[in-house]
Structures are given as structure tokens and as C-alpha cells.
């Protein structure tokens, strides 16, 4: 394997000998490591104790592995699949060495995520003209906060950004986005509470076009995926955006809270049906929850993760990187 | 409702067991696997699942079951009892001070629904206990959190105490308590900022708040969609603050809500309320014993009965029964009936409480508007037409369609349904007891019909399908 070898090597290197690129990777790794400290704490320690207490690979070990993965919210189906395929691998290659087995585990998780595809975690930004990003999700996952952070990142990358306050339902949501817009230093298009969210989008798009904005970030009200009428409203928002800008929304980002359990799968299915979700923003991974459900979502629905957020500061957002994520989960095993 | 899928799976698992002569150890093993997977899919914590299945297994393997004539039923009972044991035996209510100001403090992770539920609880206590609540905005971190609480306060006409974001939560709470005293509030609900249970600095802040406010209730707000981590969260908050109750939110979605089981089992803290929607009156007392019934798919019969009793006027029902008998049922009666049904509230929510219907309704979207349309159409009839439905001919139908803004086909459909109903009633009322019994039997067991009855014909695909009754 060796997907972590580069990262591992770098940790051991003297900073003076590194290229700028390497320093960037390392800084990112540090960030993941720190952000996922609590997460890792439980999972990696358990894995480590597990491997310390076994001298051979046997059924009991597989059972305990299953348990650890389920604890990470990876989801029953995906876990069963994962463990079955681990069993098959061990048998086929007649692996007895626990170290080798550890590498196989990491490889398998990696495989589940990558699925022989080139995973594109970059945003699908339009080459010329306006890019529209639509943020959707259930209540309380952190949509508005994520918009603030993504906007900040894009602005730092030299883009002219604008926000559209499409959550016209929840008390205080518009003000919340406005405060984020102030922090980022960008314009935020609002209409009074109770307005049709699609009309907010329409106005924001016209304004963004006139002012040569590069990226428009659209907030929407949180909604449970079982609320038929609210999902229809979301379809309308999506429709209006695609009518006003060709190929828009360029990315529809489903925001998922890392503490979410198996319901995350239902969320991904329903929102994908309504708005053609193209990526996931995984929030709050700085707690003890692992957000493993995103692996199941990727495995079953093919939707990739584009961002992770790990804190309440405006800079606490990173482009998703599967190597870093798995490294964050297991890094104790490699040090 | 919340536990649909869990009950589906348990029911499925139990079905394999019920109906067999005797339970073998193998049967129990198979069933426990289903129960285990089902609970895991429902986000019940892994350890809790293990303990639970072990307990059930141990009990099921005991001789009690093997001596029983219907072992499957016994297993249902054991699963049910164990679930109930985890959930706690009865609904626990809020603690109020006999004299002086009662104080509640809302705590929890970010985005669980603390602010919304502070509002819901304030409304609930005002309605149910006649309290004069004051809400306190002590979330000085999340942008616009204070605005949110203030807006909710305005919607409910409940005062909100806030000092902006320039004071510390402790200062805010101190001043709020004084304010409550001066203004004769007897209930103070403190909304705190969402925080991770591992954020030591912010957890310390909560401990300080607790020391100042001396709350009668510390309510941990937990998102019902929370996964395996629910246990860690609940344990940390409980260790630091000695939580007195849990409010489980967002149960109106399709989450299976296994977090409820885990939290209760691991911390012992009772779940006191459940949030069932974004509207501020969508809060219900959590009934653990009923929830156990619901998990097993027995339906929440008790809630159903209570709801129906509240809504249906008995005298009216009796009068209606007489009407049925005399077959003088007209559009005015139809209208009254619809209004009674509507009084039960959200129809889908209501129907789901009926045992066995829950899983079937899962994917059906009941259009509540349909009732409104029917009301509109009946309202567009003249008084004569309502009393004498036979009057309604094609030209009158067109007028009714125009008057109610519905399509003519909808009017046709409605009149047709009404006619069918009327005919059905007439027939039922004129049947002899024996005929009635036979009909009921046929309805209950479609496979058990005697050959030669007309039912088999009327069940076909023909255009008379479902229209000709078996006794014709």
C-alpha cells in the first residue's frame, strides 16, 4: 500500500528541506489531525488495543472490527460488505501478519471511497461567467455556517463572492447569514422573512450577473427530507436557478452533520432526488463523532465529499481529502 | 412515525418465529440477528444492542418459553418488556418549584434545536401549567441566535431577556433572574449556546451557569438523527451537569431514533419531550411505554384513543349513526363528518398511530388539501342540493365546479364516492345479523372465502370491481 507513506515521511522530515507543496500537505495533515483529535481518540485507540490484544487473525477479531466500524456510523450494509471483503482478502492472500492486515484495512476503506474512479473533490466552477452553489440539508447541520466558511475560502482564492439568503423560514436565519457576509466581506441578498426562496435566488442571480460576481452561494432553509411540500419547494429553487444560469447550480452541496447516524443515507437519497446533489459538506468532525455515514453514502450512492469543517472559526474548513480523513481516523496506528 | 422502520424489521423478524410450533435455539439465534441488525440500523448504540440481545436471548432460552404453547408470542413479550425496561416505565414530568421562580436550562450540541425548543417549552408550560415564562438569550456565540429567540418570543407573545453579545452568559443569567423577579415571572427558560461535549472551556462555562442559575431542570436537547455518538454526548453532559431530562428533537422525520434507547439505557436520564416539527406547538410528552409498543408495531393505540376522544363529539356521533340507519345521509352530514376528521389534526400522523397501518403509509403522501377541496365543493352547492343529493345533474355539477374552482372531473368523483357511501350504508343497515357476520368474515380473510360466493367475481379487474357487494 503506502498511501500514507508520503505523509508519514514528511512528519519525520526537517521543515527546511521541504518544498512549498510538501509544507502545504503537511499543514493540512496537521489540521486534520488536530481537528479530528477527539474523533481519532476513540477509534484509533480502540483499533490499537484491538491489535495489541490479538496475535492471530481470527473470527473474533473480525467481529470486533465490525463493531468498531459500526461505532463509526459507517452503516450496517457497508460494514458487512467491508468486513466480508476483508475476510476474503485475508483468506485469499493467506495473511497472518497483523501489520499487513492493518494496511489491508486502510486500503479497503480507501477502496470503498475511491471505487476505481478519479474522485473529483474540487468545486465545479464555471470557466466563464457566474458559478452558483446551492446548499441544502436538514435542520441544524450547519448550512449557513458552512456557506460563510466556503465563501471565505473562495474569496481568499481571489474570487468575487455573493450570498443569497434563501432561508426565509427560520427565525433569525437571514440575520445569521448577514453576519457571516460581513465577516467575509461580501454582499448578501435578502428578502423579508416569509418570502418565496426561489424569488430570493432570482433576484440574487440578476444582481450577481450585473456585478460580475464569480460565485454565488445560496442558502436554503433546513428541512427534513420527509416533508414532501418542502422538498417540492427546494425543487422549485433548483429549477429557477437552472433556468436563470445555464448549467447551474454548478454544485449542489448536501450538508451533513458528523454526528448523524443511519438517517444520513435517507437524507442523501431524498435530497439527491430533489436537487441532484453533487457533493457533501461534512460538518462538526471536531467532536467525537466520526461521520462514517459519508463513506456509506459514497459507497451506495456515489456522492463524493467536497468539504469538511472542524470548528467554529471562519477558517475551519478544508477541501476533503480521503487520505487525510482516513489518516485522521487512524493516525495513532502509524506513529 | 419515528420508529416505523425499526418496528417493520422487528415485526418481520418476529414473524419468522411466530407461527412455529416450538422455539429452537437456532430460531432464537436467527431472530436475535435480525433484532441486532435492526437496532443497529436504527442507530441504537452498539453496546446497548449487545446487552439487549443478550438479555432477550437469555430470557427466551429459559424454560418459560419452551413450556409455552405459543413460544413466538412469548418472545414478542420478552422483547417488548426489555424495550420497555430500557425506555423507563412511565412518562416523567417536569419539576416545578412550589414557590418562587422555576428555572430550566437548555443544553446540547450545535444544531440540536435548543432555541426552538426553548420556545416550544415556554409555550407548553404557559398552556399546560399556566406559567408566566421568561426566555433568556444566553447564546452569545452563534451569529443571530439572540435574534432567533427574540423572534420566537414575539411569535408566542412571551418576553425574551437579552443583553446582546457583549455580556458573558453568567452576567446575562444573573440579570435575567433579577428581571424575572421584578416582573413576576414564575418560570425562566435559559437558552445556551450549542457546544461540543469535548470542548472543556465551554463545558466549564455551563457548569458556572448552573452554579449561578441553580436550575430545577437541565434539559439536554438531542437530535433524534444522532448516530452512535449519542451515548458519548449524553454521558459527557450528564457527568458535568447532572442532566435531569432529555428533549428528543426532529422525530417528525424518518429517523428511527435509536438514540432514545441508547441514552436512556446508558445514562438513566428520562426522555421527557419529543419535538415533532418546526412549528412551535409541535411538542409532545414522551411516553416511554407507548414508544415500546410502537417499536414492536403495535401502534400507539393509547395516543389514538385519546386524540379521538378529544375530537369527536359523542352526541354528534350518535345522531350520525341514526342517520346512517334511516339512510337519510346527505351532503350536510358528509360535511360534518369531514370536519370531525379534520379536527383530529394531521390525518397522516393520525392514521399512522393505527396498528399495522404505519408501515403501509410510509410512502404515501396524503394530500390534506383534498378535504379542503371537498369542503369547497359541498359549500358550492345550494341548500336544496345538499339535502337532496339526487337533484344534482350535469349542469348543476358544472356550476359546482365553477363555484369551487375545481375541475368537473373532481366533482364527478366526489359525487360518485358519496353515492357509493350512501348505498353501502343503506345495505349495511338493512342486513340481517347473519349477513353482516358473513360480510365481516369475508372482509377479514380474503383467502378463506367459500367457493361459490359472488365475492370472487367482484374482486376481478372488471369495471364493477369493488362496487358490487358480496351479498348482492
Amino acid at each position: 500500500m503506502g498511501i500514507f507513506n508520503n505523509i508519514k515521511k514528511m512528519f519525520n522530515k526537517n521543515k527546511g528541506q521541504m518544498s512549498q507543496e510538501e509544507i502545504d500537505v503537511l499543514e493540512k495533515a496537521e489540521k486534520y489531525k488536530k481537528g479530528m483529535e477527539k474523533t481519532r481518540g476513540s477509534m484509533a485507540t480502540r483499533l490499537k488495543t484491538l491489535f495489541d490484544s490479538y496475535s492471530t487473525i481470527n473470527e473474533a477479531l473480525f467481529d470486533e472490527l465490525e463493531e468498531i466500524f459500526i461505532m463509526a456510523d459507517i452503516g450496517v450494509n457497508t460494514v458487512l460488505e467491508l468486513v466480508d471483503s476483508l475476510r476474503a482478502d485475508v483468506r485469499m492472500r493467506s495473511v497472518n501478519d497483523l501489520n499487513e492486515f492493518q494496511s489491508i484495512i486502510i486500503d479497503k476503506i480507501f477502496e470503498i471511497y475511491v471505487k476505481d474512479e478519479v474522485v473529483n473533490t474540487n468545486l465545479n466552477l464555471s470557466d466563464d461567467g457566474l458559478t452558483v452553489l446551492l446548499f441544502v440539508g436538514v435542520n441544524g447541520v450547519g448550512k449557513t455556517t458552512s456557506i460563510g466558511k466556503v465563501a471565505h475560502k473562495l474569496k481568499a482564492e481571489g474570487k468575487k463572492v455573493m450570498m443569497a439568503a434563501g432561508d426565509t423560514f427560520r427565525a433569525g436565519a437571514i440575520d445569521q447569514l448577514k453576519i457571516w457576509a460581513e465577516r467575509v466581506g461580501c454582499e448578501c441578498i435578502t428578502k423579508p422573512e416569509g418570502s418565496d426562496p426561489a424569488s430570493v435566488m432570482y433576484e440574487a442571480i440578476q444582481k450577481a450577473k450585473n456585478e460580475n460576481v464569480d460565485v454565488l452561494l445560496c442558502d436554503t432553509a433546513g428541512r427534513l427530507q420527509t416533508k414532501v411540500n418542502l422538498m417540492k419547494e427546494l425543487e422549485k429553487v433548483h429549477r429557477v436557478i437552472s433556468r436563470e444560469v445555464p448549467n447551474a447550480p454548478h454544485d449542489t452541496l448536501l450538508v451533513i452533520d458528523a454526528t448523524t447516524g443511519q438517517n444520513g443515507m435517507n437524507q442523501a437519497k431524498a435530497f439527491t432526488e430533489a436537487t441532484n446533489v453533487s457533493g457533501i459538506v461534512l460538518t462538526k468532525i471536531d467532536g467525537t463523532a466520526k461521520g462514517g455515514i459519508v463513506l456509506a453514502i459514497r459507497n451506495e450512492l456515489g456522492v463524493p465529499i467536497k468539504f469538511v469543517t472542524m470548528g467554529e472559526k471562519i477558517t475551519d474548513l478544508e477541501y476533503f481529502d480521503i487520505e487525510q480523513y482516513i489518516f485522521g481516523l487512524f493516525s495513532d496506528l502509524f506513529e | 412515525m419515528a420508529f416505523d422502520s425499526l418496528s417493520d424489521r422487528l415485526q418481520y423478524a418476529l414473524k419468522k418465529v411466530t407461527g412455529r410450533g416450538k422455539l429452537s435455539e437456532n430460531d432464537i439465534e436467527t431472530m436475535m440477528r435480525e433484532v441486532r441488525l435492526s437496532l443497529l440500523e436504527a442507530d441504537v448504540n452498539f453496546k446497548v444492542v449487545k446487552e439487549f440481545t443478550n438479555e432477550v436471548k437469555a430470557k427466551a432460552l429459559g424454560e418459560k418459553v419452551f413450556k409455552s404453547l405459543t413460544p413466538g408470542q412469548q418472545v414478542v413479550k420478552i422483547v417488548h418488556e426489555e424495550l420497555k425496561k430500557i425506555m423507563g416505565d412511565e412518562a416523567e414530568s417536569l419539576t416545578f418549584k412550589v414557590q418562587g421562580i422555576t428555572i430550566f436550562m437548555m443544553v446540547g450540541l450545535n444544531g440540536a434545536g435548543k432555541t426552538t425548543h426553548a420556545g416550544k417549552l415556554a409555550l407548553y408550560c404557559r398552556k399546560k401549567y399556566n406559567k408566566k415564562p421568561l426566555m433568556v438569550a444566553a447564546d452569545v456565540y452563534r451569529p443571530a441566535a439572540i435574534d432567533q429567540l427574540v423572534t420566537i418570543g414575539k411569535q408566542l407573545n412571551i418576553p425574551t431577556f437579552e443583553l446582546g453579545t457583549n455580556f458573558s452568559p453568567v452576567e446575562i443569567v444573573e440579570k435575567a433572574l433579577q428581571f424575572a423577579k421584578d416582573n413576576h415571572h414564575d418560570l425562566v427558560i435559559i437558552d445556551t449556546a450549542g457546544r461540543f461535549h469535548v470542548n472543556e472551556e465551554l463545558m466549564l462555562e455551563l457548569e458556572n451557569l448552573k452554579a449561578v442559575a441553580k436550575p430545577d431542570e437541565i434539559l439536554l436537547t438531542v437530535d433524534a438523527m444522532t448516530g452512535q455518538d449519542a451515548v458519548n454526548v449524553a454521558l459527557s453532559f450528564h457527568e458535568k451537569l447532572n442532566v435531569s431530562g432529555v428533549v428528543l428533537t426532529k422525530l417528525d422525520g424518518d429517523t428511527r431514533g435509536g438514540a432514545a434507547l441508547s441514552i436512556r439505557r446508558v445514562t438513566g436520564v428520562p426522555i421527557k419531550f419529543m419535538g415533532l416539527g418546526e412549528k412551535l406547538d409541535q411538542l409532545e410528552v414522551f411516553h416511554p411505554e407507548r414508544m415500546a409498543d410502537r417499536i414492536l408495531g403495535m401502534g400507539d393505540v393509547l395516543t389514538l384513543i385519546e386524540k379521538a376522544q378529544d375530537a369527536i363529539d359523542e352526541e354528534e356521533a350518535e345522531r350520525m349513526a341514526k342517520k346512517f340507519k334511516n339512510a337519510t345521509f346527505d351532503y350536510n352530514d358528509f360535511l360534518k363528518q369531514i370536519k370531525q376528521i379534520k379536527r383530529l389534526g394531521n390525518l397522516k400522523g393520525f392514521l399512522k398511530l393505527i396498528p399495522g397501518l404505519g408501515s403501509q403509509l410510509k410512502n404515501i403522501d396524503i394530500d390534506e388539501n383534498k378535504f379542503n377541496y371537498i369542503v369547497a365543493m359541498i359549500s358550492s352547492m345550494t341548500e336544496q342540493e345538499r339535502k337532496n343529493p339526487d337533484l344534482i345533474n350535469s349542469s348543476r355539477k358544472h356550476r359546482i365546479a365553477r363555484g369551487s374552482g375545481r375541475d368537473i372531473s373532481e366533482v364527478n368523483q366526489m359525487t360518485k364516492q358519496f353515492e357509493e357511501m350512501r348505498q353501502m350504508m343503506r345495505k349495511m343497515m338493512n342486513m340481517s345479523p347473519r349477513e353482516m357476520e358473513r360480510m365481516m368474515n369475508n372482509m377479514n380473510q380474503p383467502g378463506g372465502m367459500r367457493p361459490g360466493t359472488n365475492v370472487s367475481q367482484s374482486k376481478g379487474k372488471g369495471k364493477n370491481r369493488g362496487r358490487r357487494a358480496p351479498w348482492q
Side-chain angles (χ1 to χ4, degrees), chain A residues 122-126 130-136 146-147 149-151 153-154 157 159 161-164 166 201 205 213-220 237-238 241 245 247-254 278-279 281 306-307 319:
Chain A
N122 292 330
L123 285 173
N124 180 22
L125 298 177
S126 161
L130 178 65
T131 299
V132 184
L133 305 180
L134 180 64
F135 289 74
V136 300
S146 296
I147 288 179
K149 291 174 181 173
V150 174
K153 187 153 212 102
L154 290 171
E157 288 171 10
K159 300 276 191 292
V161 295
M162 185 187 263
M163 297 178 187
M201 302 306 170
I205 287 172
V213 166
D214 295 315
V215 185
L216 175 68
L217 300 99
C218 303
D219 195 11
T220 60
V237 166
H238 192 267
I241 292 174
V245 183
N247 301 324
H250 299 80
D251 264 310
T252 301
L253 299 170
L254 173 66
S278 60
V281 181
K306 298 226 168 182
F307 291 105
Y319 285 108

Side-chain angles (χ1 to χ4, degrees), chain A residues 38 66-67 70-71 73 76-77 80 138-140 169-172 175-176 179-180 183 193 222 224-228 230 257 259-263 266-267 284 286-289 312, chain B residues 33 36-37 40-41 43 45-47 50 109-111 141-144 147-148 151-152 155 194 196-198 202 223 225-229 232 250 252-255 276-278 365:
Chain A
K38 307 281 194 243
E66 194 179 290
E67 195 169 313
I70 281 177
M71 285 292 212
D73 286 320
V76 178
N77 289 341
L80 292 180
V138 299
N139 316 64
F169 179 79
R170 180 171 62 86
D175 292 324
Q176 191 181 347
I179 294 171
W180 277 108
R183 289 182 186 171
E193 223 178 280
L224 295 182
Q225 70 277 11
T226 47
K227 304 281 160 97
V228 179
L230 293 179
D257 183 330
T259 54
T260 308
Q262 302 308 300
N263 195 248
N266 296 4
Q267 292 172 20
K284 311 185 197 171
D286 46 331
T288 45
E312 292 180 49
Chain B
R33 191 187 144 77
R36 177 176 159 263
L37 289 179
L40 285 176
E41 276 173 1
D43 290 321
N45 183 271
F46 203 98
K47 286 179 198 144
K50 245 186 176 173
L109 298 185
N110 314 62
Y141 304 107
R142 179 163 61 91
D147 293 338
Q148 188 183 350
T151 308
I152 288 172
Q155 284 169 7
F196 270 118
H197 51 295
V198 286
L202 286 177
D223 186 329
M225 294 180 278
T226 310
Q228 295 287 325
D229 203 40
N232 296 333
K250 307 180 201 172
D252 48 327
D254 58 359
T255 178
L276 292 167
E278 293 184 73
D365 178 31

Side-chain angles (χ1 to χ4, degrees), chain B residues 400-424:
Chain B
I400 292 166
R402 276 200 308 279
S404 58
R406 307 311 306 166
D407 199 76
I408 180 72
S409 64
E410 280 177 76
V411 178
N412 277 327
Q413 205 188 350
M414 195 248 326
T415 53
K416 201 174 121 195
Q417 277 173 354
F418 176 79
E419 269 318 310
E420 279 171 6
M421 241 170 94
R422 209 154 63 132
Q423 278 187 15
M424 176 76 110

Side-chain angles (χ1 to χ4, degrees), chain B residues 323-341:
Chain B
K323 285 238 165 198
F324 287 172
K325 201 155 193 178
N326 302 332
T328 53
F329 187 71
D330 63 18
Y331 276 110
N332 283 323
D333 303 318
F334 193 28
L335 198 60
K336 267 185 209 145
Q337 260 197 333
I338 289 172
K339 284 187 176 156
Q340 285 219 330
I341 293 173

Side-chain angles (χ1 to χ4, degrees), chain A residues 265-326:
Chain A
M265 185 62 77
N266 296 4
Q267 292 172 20
K269 279 181 189 156
F271 278 99
T272 302
E273 210 169 276
T275 59
N276 199 14
V277 170
S278 60
I280 286 169
V281 181
L282 180 62
T283 60
K284 311 185 197 171
I285 64 164
D286 46 331
T288 45
K290 286 102 196 156
I293 191 64
V294 294
L295 291 176
I297 291 172
R298 167 72 188 161
N299 186 35
E300 287 185 31
L301 304 178
V303 182
I305 308 150
K306 298 226 168 182
F307 291 105
V308 285
T309 74
M310 41 186 78
E312 292 180 49
K313 289 198 300 293
I314 199 164
T315 50
D316 290 334
L317 171 120
E318 283 298 328
Y319 285 108
F320 182 71
D321 183 325
I322 182 65
E323 290 180 31
Q324 304 274 14
Y325 177 70
I326 300 179

